[in-house]
Amino acid sequence: LGLSAPLFTVLGSEISGRDLILILGGLFLLGKSTHEIHHNLEGHEEGNGKSTVQANFVMTLVQITILDIVFSLDSVITAVGMVDELPVMILAVVISVLLMVFFARGVGKFVNDRPTIKILALSFLLLIGMALVADGLEFHIPKGYIYFAMGFSLFVEVLNLKVIELKSGGGKKDTADKAES
């Protein structure tokens, strides 16, 4: 909250510590999600050996830490904008972290089991990364626009998953009929 004092100016815009964190966090999300989309679309070569596993583990921890810092800062800024009481802000952040921890495994499995959902989730990270960079550069995109775009995209993807399920014989009657033939 105290990172609002301007550190320097770029193209007529004053950049504070908060802005710098948002810009760097947004750029990190843009880079990481672009890399992951490319990784999923083009395939990858698997490394071998214990050193690769350890390096991947360390990189994963570093990336999770960076994401936590960026999203925590954004959550705190949002909480400050919504309420003026510190205990309410702290409670909101604690509840959101607990919900993320509680649902992370189930959501992760759901996303990993469905490649199109995984790409959609990575696309959401691109959108969030761009919004963070824009916010850090004092170009504020109303959150409602972002949530609507994400919600609509998710709705379309749910419809796509349902169509795929129906076409692949998701009904038990269809499976039983095929077995008799």
Side-chain angles (χ1 to χ4, degrees):
L1 298 176
L3 299 174
S4 59
L7 298 175
F8 54 90
T9 303
V10 175
L11 301 172
S13 294
E14 293 180 337
I15 304 294
S16 67
R18 171 198 175 274
D19 296 331
L20 197 56
I21 290 171
L22 291 175
I23 292 167
L24 292 175
L27 290 173
F28 173 79
L29 284 179
L30 288 170
K32 183 64 179 163
S33 52
T34 300
H35 173 76
E36 287 298 319
I37 289 171
H38 176 47
H39 177 79
N40 279 279
L41 294 176
E42 298 294 327
H44 61 285
E45 295 178 20
E46 292 292 329
N48 51 13
K50 187 177 177 181
S51 63
T52 302
V53 172
Q54 287 176 338
N56 287 339
F57 179 71
V58 170
M59 284 304 298
T60 300
L61 286 178
V62 168
Q63 291 168 9
I64 289 170
T65 302
I66 291 170
L67 288 173
D68 281 346
I69 291 168
V70 171
F71 285 124
S72 293
L73 180 64
D74 190 48
S75 297
V76 169
I77 291 166
T78 301
V80 168
M82 294 176 70
V83 295
D84 293 325
E85 297 184 33
L86 185 62
V88 174
M89 288 182 238
I90 292 170
L91 184 63
V93 171
V94 168
I95 289 172
S96 67
V97 168
L98 290 174
L99 286 173
M100 284 189 291
V101 168
F102 184 74
F103 289 109
R105 177 167 283 151
V107 171
K109 181 176 178 1
F110 177 81
V111 168
N112 282 325
D113 290 347
R114 292 162 182 82
T116 58
I117 292 285
K118 189 173 189 177
I119 295 298
L120 183 64
L122 290 167
S123 298
F124 288 169
L125 287 178
L126 285 172
L127 182 63
I128 293 166
M130 196 64 227
L132 288 173
V133 170
D135 196 34
L137 295 172
E138 304 301 323
F139 181 80
H140 303 290
I141 302 168
K143 298 261 193 251
Y145 291 158
I146 295 169
Y147 295 148
F148 178 79
M150 292 171 73
F152 183 76
S153 300
L154 186 58
F155 172 72
V156 171
E157 185 58 30
V158 168
L159 292 177
N160 283 333
L161 288 174
K162 191 65 176 168
V163 167
I164 290 169
E165 179 184 324
L166 291 173
K167 283 185 176 181
S168 68
K172 292 185 180 192
K173 184 177 185 237
D174 291 341
T175 308
D177 290 344
K178 288 177 185 174
E180 288 177 12
S181 314

